[in-house]
């Protein structure tokens, strides 16, 4: 059986609405063609203003559209926030949560991230939960306890979905690898992914979880990550803003 990889393009706050739509329109046919192969699942995560227009543009294609974040509340007086249910209502099917940039700049705790995850699963959106250690923690050799702690704060909450047809994507993104051009060694990746897989296999709904890698992925280094069998997909930031680069990564 051929392996099916997830390719998640995280465009962050790099483009405004016009720029996003221009990019998509310019490469529309190529994107559609890229999405058609059975060995991949492509998800584009634009800024919130472009979410609905892109969902419409890619309706009935193999390209899925995801949000970059959602609220940790269900609904109500939370000015400026966007609920999981709202994302679902416009047709969003994926949502990133717990990205290190949100943990850092918006002080998001594991507890808040866990709540977001639940709201997403409740409405049927696939969460892409980001975990990973800082450079300091990496240097101290505490990667495994750090990611374990991040997972421990969400796993108990996930048990209530056992038996349900859900999917949860866990993206291991070392904070020091994001946007830096640095990537972990093969040995480090093997250790972390083996550990994450071990944690997943103890869960009742182990098959619902998929493991992704993110952090400075490029067309030049993608082959390294593909050597790690436990990696089911990729979260791509900077490189996804260049169509040629994105295409080369996916091809
Ligand atoms: P990068 O970002 O590919 O630019 O390192 C990855 C991410 O932040 O998800």
């Amino acid at each position: 059986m051929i392996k099916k990889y997830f390719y998640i393009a995280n465009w962050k706050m790099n483009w405004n609405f016009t720029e996003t739509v221009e990019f998509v329109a310019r490469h529309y046919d190529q994107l559609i063609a890229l999405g058609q192969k059975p060995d991949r699942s492509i998800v584009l995560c634009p800024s919130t203003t472009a979410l609905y227009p892109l969902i419409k543009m890619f309706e009935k294609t193999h390209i899925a559209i995801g949000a970059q974040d959602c609220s940790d509340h269900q609904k109500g007086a939370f000015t400026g926030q966007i609920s999981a249910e709202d994302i679902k209502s416009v047709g969003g099917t994926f949502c990133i949560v717990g990205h290190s940039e949100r943990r850092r700049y918006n002080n998001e705790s594991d507890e808040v991230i866990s709540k977001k995850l639940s709201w997403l699963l409740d409405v049927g959106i696939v969460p892409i939960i980001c975990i990973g250690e800082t450079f300091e923690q990496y240097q101290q050799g505490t990667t495994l306890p750090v990611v374990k702690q991040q997972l421990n704060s969400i796993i108990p909450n996930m048990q209530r979905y056992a038996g349900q047809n859900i999917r949860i994507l866990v993206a291991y993104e070392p904070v020091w690898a994001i946007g830096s051009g640095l990537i972990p060694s093969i040995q480090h990746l093997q250790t972390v992914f083996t550990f994450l897989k071990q944690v997943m296999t103890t869960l009742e709904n182990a098959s619902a979880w998929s493991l992704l890698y993110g952090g400075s992925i490029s067309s030049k280094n993608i082959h390294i990550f593909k050597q790690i069998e436990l990696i089911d997909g990729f979260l791509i930031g900077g490189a996804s803003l260049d169509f040629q680069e994105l295409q080369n990564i996916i091809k």
Side-chain angles (χ1 to χ4, degrees), residues 11-152:
W11 290 340
K12 309 191 182 187
M13 208 175 76
N14 285 298
W15 287 330
N16 65 28
F17 170 75
T18 313
E19 290 162 334
T20 306
V21 172
E22 267 171 17
F23 175 87
V24 167
R26 207 175 321 128
H27 304 291
Y28 189 72
D29 293 339
Q30 294 154 293
L31 280 164
I32 301 279
L34 213 52
Q36 267 163 353
K37 300 254 172 69
D39 62 345
R40 60 194 69 161
S41 190
I42 301 176
V43 185
L44 306 177
C45 300
S47 64
T48 309
T49 52
L51 201 54
Y52 183 62
L54 256 59
I55 288 164
K56 283 284 155 206
M57 285 175 88
F58 287 104
E59 222 169 19
K60 300 193 180 83
T61 74
H62 288 96
I63 304 282
I65 307 298
Q68 295 178 11
D69 185 45
C70 71
S71 174
D72 58 320
H73 298 280
Q74 187 179 23
K75 68 189 296 159
F78 302 101
T79 303
Q81 300 195 32
I82 296 171
S83 69
E85 194 269 328
D86 196 3
I87 296 166
K88 178 75 181 178
S89 75
V90 292
T93 44
F94 289 78
C95 182
I96 300 169
V97 283
H99 191 282
S100 65
E101 286 151 14
R102 290 208 60 89
R103 292 180 191 259
R104 182 171 169 200
Y105 303 123
N106 299 72
N107 289 319
E108 279 186 15
S109 64
D110 286 326
E111 195 195 358
V112 160
I113 294 159
S114 175
K115 283 191 201 160
K116 294 183 178 198
L117 219 75
S118 294
W119 293 127
L120 291 168
L121 289 171
D122 283 349
V123 299
I125 291 178
V126 177
I128 305 157
I129 153 110
C130 303
I131 58 170
E133 81 284 4
T134 62
F135 189 60
E136 211 174 36
Q137 291 164 333
Y138 171 72
Q139 280 186 314
Q140 288 163 355
T142 55
T143 301
L144 299 188
V146 167
V147 295
K148 175 116 206 277
Q149 161 64 33
Q150 290 169 334
L151 281 178
N152 276 349

Side-chain angles (χ1 to χ4, degrees), residues 10 12 99-101 130 173 177-180 214-217 235-239:
N10 177 12
K12 309 191 182 187
H99 191 282
S100 65
E101 286 151 14
C130 303
E173 297 205 299
I178 296 174
S180 65
S216 290
I217 292 175
L235 187 49
I236 312 156

